[in-house]
Amino acid sequence: MAESHGDTKGTTAHTEADAHGRAFPPFQKETFASQLVSLLIAFVALYLIVSRIALPRVGSLLDERQNKIEGDLTEAQKLKDASDGALKAYESELAAARGRAQAISTETREKLNAAAEAERKTLEERLSVKLAEAEKTIASTREAAMSNVRSIASDAAIAIVQRLAGVKADRKSVNKAVDASLKG
């Protein structure tokens, strides 16, 4: 367990004797002047070390850091200007491409419209030729039919008169009656 090294009374006596016997060393009158000289020497040495070694190093680090920041800012501004220039070039190229696309679109539309118009005219000409031919065919067919209708009507009228009246009708008078009824 715990061993004791002497009398506890002796330890207390030693502490009491130091506390009552002398004052705190920095406040002793005998050493006060030498302490001031030591403090002055230490302060001057510390001032010289700080002003000659530490402050120039810190100052050079601060200057170096400031120069680095300014260099970075300058480079960032250069890159920003370059990106702005590239953006303007891109926008101008995009506008030029849109203009070219619009021109190509307009040209293609005009070509297609011209081709469609030419095809429409060709189709109209073919249709008008076919229509004229059809009208001629219809007119000749109508004339043939009308001439057939006249002869058929004359034959039918002669047959009807003979059957109803029992008399054979004169072809000339029947033709006049059919012509009068066909005219209107």
Side-chain angles (χ1 to χ4, degrees), residues 34 69 107 118 123 154 158 176:
S34 66
I69 290 171
E107 181 182 339
L123 184 61
S154 295
I158 290 171
K176 278 184 186 180

Side-chain angles (χ1 to χ4, degrees), residues 15-64:
T15 309
E16 288 176 9
D18 283 342
H20 293 291
R22 295 196 294 207
F24 185 60
F27 297 133
Q28 290 180 358
K29 293 180 194 173
E30 301 86 34
T31 60
F32 192 67
S34 66
Q35 286 178 5
L36 281 177
V37 171
S38 300
L39 180 64
L40 182 65
I41 291 172
F43 181 73
V44 168
L46 181 64
Y47 176 76
L48 289 175
I49 289 172
V50 168
S51 66
R52 301 273 188 235
I53 297 170
L55 284 179
R57 285 185 183 172
V58 170
S60 68
L61 287 175
L62 289 176
D63 289 341
E64 185 178 312

